[in-house]
């Protein structure tokens, strides 16, 4: 077993507001809050307006990571605006 498996980066695909799919590389333990910060810096969408949907489930807890929701390498998240 590789003891560094928690440090290996995975690919997360995010469909943004314009329908483009953008790939982000992140550690499995990266929180959704950190991912939203990266998107805010890249696309200018404020963190508080971002919401992710995965497989029909809205991700509400920004302090959790992709492992908490069962997302795997290459999983696709939909970015929507918070209403």
């Amino acid at each position: 077993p590789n003891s560094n498996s928690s440090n290996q980066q995975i690919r997360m695909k995010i469909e943004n507001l314009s329908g483009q799919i953008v790939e982000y590389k992140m550690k499995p333990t990266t929180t959704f809050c950190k991912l939203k910060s990266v998107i805010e810096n890249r696309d200018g969408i404020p963190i508080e307006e971002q919401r992710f949907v995965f497989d029909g489930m809205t991700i509400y807890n920004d302090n959790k990571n992709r492992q908490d929701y069962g997302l795997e390498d290459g999983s696709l998240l939909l970015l929507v605006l918070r209403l």
Side-chain angles (χ1 to χ4, degrees):
N2 185 349
S3 61
N4 291 331
S5 62
S6 64
N7 291 325
Q8 293 177 345
Q9 291 194 335
I10 61 159
R11 296 169 294 116
M12 294 300 304
K13 296 177 183 177
I14 299 177
E15 184 174 337
N16 63 23
L17 301 174
S18 63
Q20 293 178 307
I21 296 177
V22 180
E23 190 173 283
Y24 292 87
K25 290 185 180 179
M26 56 191 279
K27 292 181 182 178
T29 55
T30 299
T31 63
F32 287 102
C33 185
K34 174 63 178 167
L35 182 57
K36 287 181 176 185
S37 176
V38 170
I39 291 172
E40 179 180 46
N41 290 334
R42 182 184 185 276
D43 298 326
I45 303 167
I47 291 172
E48 60 274 7
E49 293 182 16
Q50 297 178 45
R51 173 84 29 101
F52 293 119
V53 177
F54 172 68
D55 199 24
M57 175 181 62
T58 301
I59 295 174
Y60 289 105
N61 191 335
D62 287 346
N63 293 318
K64 292 195 174 193
N65 61 50
R66 67 100 192 158
Q67 292 175 318
D68 296 320
Y69 286 96
L71 280 72
E72 298 181 3
D73 186 41
S75 291
L76 177 66
L77 291 170
L78 177 63
L79 175 65
V80 296
L81 288 181
R82 186 176 182 171
L83 300 176

